[in-house]
Amino acid sequence: MAWSIEGGAVLGADGLNPSTLALAQTRVAEAAPAGAKRLDATGCWVLPGIVDIHGDAHERALQPRPGVGFAADFALRDTAAQLLGAGITTAYLGLTLSWEPGLRSVEMFRALLAAPAPGGPDIRVHLRFEADNLGALDDALQAIAKGQVHLLGYNDHTPGIAKKVTDPMQLAKYAGRAGVSDADFRALVDTAMASRPGVAAARAALAAAAQAAAIPMLSHDDPHIEQRAAFRALGASICEFPITEAVAENARAHGEHVVMGAPNVVRGGSHMGWASAAPLAERGLVTVLASDYHWPALFAAPFVMLRRGVLDVAAAWALVSANPAEALGLTDRGSLRPGQRGDALLVAGGAAAPKLVAVFVAGELAWIAPGEAGRLVG
């Protein structure tokens, strides 16, 4: 199938320009072939599809309340629909493989890998391996070897959890998510902490597997430059959610992409009290935004950046499309050049009041907003 998207302003390397975007055989084409379907994009910006390097909002589809769960295939179908409605055409789902039972368990990891692809956006796996989860190391290594993992992230939340569960309210929250008693969760934390001596060897094995599979790696929540350097030595070329500005500066000095959360931009700062993403992006220290825990924030964030008045459209949109594609080694997307994958969004309202009108995935119309079907010509 082919499309001619007419009358809009198409984003190129030099910004927005009136043009027609042609899609044919899943790709952006030089011109639409005869018989192509037409879509009237008058008043719209035509932008590359969003590439999300890290999103874990699918966890709410799996477990909307503590103790209330849904099957993986059902949850992924819901997730795919939400992704399209947020303009995300390539999604790296953050599958956390932790020592915790329930939502982030090895059983859930296996179920998600086994679930059929829901269709729609290109959904991939960002394996977030919890450092002390040595019992699941073989599962992780096998999934990487089978090509089921597309990005490896090194998590180390256990020490932080160990501190938090001294607070009864925090303990109850974690135990509820895991579906166990408070006492059992405390015991799980103690067991995980006792595994610390084996963490270095496990990380080395994961790094070797990722390098053999040619998948990118990232470090997560680096608190200081020494930790970023240690993960750099393992081959982790992406710095995700650095806790301090100094870590971001160090990563950029080494030519690495730095990821922070789009919710941070939309809300005006980190909910954890860490570095603020918007000013760091304006200084070039943050190069990639991720949905993190909220899909719609990733669509909204570039427009927040535009309204701040520092970045132009091309630079703001690169934070959610061209830059994450580059960081992930996805050379076939992130722009609307001929030959690129036909992932495109139509957005009305400009920076002041952006409204998603339509989403194309691999050259096909995958989503159109209510009331916008009149744009389909003939």
Side-chain angles (χ1 to χ4, degrees), residues 191-203:
T191 300
M193 289 295 289
S195 300
R196 302 301 288 181
V199 167
R203 284 176 174 164

Side-chain angles (χ1 to χ4, degrees), residues 4-377:
S4 178
I5 302 170
E6 305 168 354
V10 179
L11 183 64
D14 58 347
L16 291 163
N17 291 289
S19 183
T20 293
L21 180 70
L23 304 176
Q25 297 181 344
T26 77
R27 300 283 167 178
V28 177
E30 293 280 1
K37 292 187 175 182
R38 297 165 57 207
L39 191 148
D40 179 7
T42 301
C44 293
W45 293 356
V46 183
L47 307 171
I50 293 173
V51 178
D52 188 8
I53 197 170
H54 170 187
D56 50 37
H58 65 280
E59 291 188 339
R60 288 196 293 277
L62 288 163
Q63 188 185 96
R65 293 182 179 179
V68 178
F70 288 93
D73 58 344
F74 181 85
L76 288 179
R77 289 197 300 272
D78 179 35
T79 293
Q82 292 183 42
L83 289 166
L84 289 177
I88 298 171
T89 54
T90 301
Y92 281 67
L93 298 189
L95 305 192
T96 302
L97 185 51
S98 176
W99 44 263
E100 300 174 61
L103 186 61
R104 296 184 167 183
S105 65
V106 66
E107 291 80 14
M108 181 63 75
F109 179 71
R110 292 168 182 166
L112 286 165
L113 291 184
D122 184 5
I123 294 180
R124 300 180 174 219
V125 172
H126 169 176
L127 168 58
R128 309 177 69 221
F129 189 85
E130 195 61 51
D132 301 287
N133 193 20
L134 305 186
L137 180 60
D138 284 345
D139 274 82
L141 295 174
Q142 290 171 21
I144 292 170
K146 290 178 181 178
Q148 296 173 299
V149 172
H150 309 95
L151 171 64
L152 173 63
Y154 294 96
N155 281 19
D156 192 6
H157 294 133
T158 311
I161 292 174
K163 291 179 181 178
K164 289 179 181 178
V165 297
T166 58
D167 177 347
M169 291 184 64
Q170 291 289 333
L171 175 59
K173 182 188 78 171
Y174 281 106
R177 183 174 74 182
V180 298
S181 70
D182 290 5
D184 285 345
F185 193 82
R186 276 186 176 277
L188 288 167
V189 172
D190 292 342
T191 300
M193 289 295 289
S195 300
R196 302 301 288 181
V199 167
R203 284 176 174 164
L206 287 165
Q211 289 169 356
I215 63 172
M217 293 178 274
L218 59 78
S219 60
H220 176 78
D221 287 354
D222 291 323
H224 46 70
I225 292 171
E226 292 77 15
Q227 180 165 308
R228 172 85 276 272
F231 282 114
R232 181 179 299 126
L234 286 176
S237 60
I238 304 169
C239 175
E240 180 185 63
F241 303 167
I243 293 176
T244 67
E245 186 174 322
V247 173
E249 289 175 339
N250 179 265
R252 294 299 294 139
H254 283 81
E256 298 162 345
H257 279 286
V258 175
V259 183
M260 291 192 76
N264 181 315
V265 171
V266 175
R267 298 178 70 252
S270 168
H271 72 288
M272 301 288 286
W274 295 346
S276 184
L280 296 185
E282 290 164 349
R283 291 168 51 198
L285 294 183
V286 168
T287 60
V288 174
L289 294 175
S291 72
D292 196 4
Y293 54 87
H294 191 250
W295 310 125
L298 194 52
F299 173 79
F303 300 104
V304 173
M305 299 297 299
L306 282 173
R307 292 194 293 271
R308 287 172 59 90
V310 177
L311 301 184
D312 62 17
V313 177
W317 199 254
L319 294 168
V320 302
S321 191
N323 292 355
E326 179 181 81
L328 294 162
L330 300 176
T331 58
D332 66 341
R333 65 199 77 185
S335 78
L336 295 176
R337 298 190 311 273
Q340 291 275 285
R341 183 178 149 101
D343 296 341
L345 311 183
L346 270 67
V347 179
K355 175 194 173 186
L356 186 62
V357 171
V359 178
F360 286 83
V361 176
E364 296 289 349
L365 180 61
W367 184 92
I368 190 163
E372 297 290 349
R375 292 181 178 272
L376 300 172
V377 180

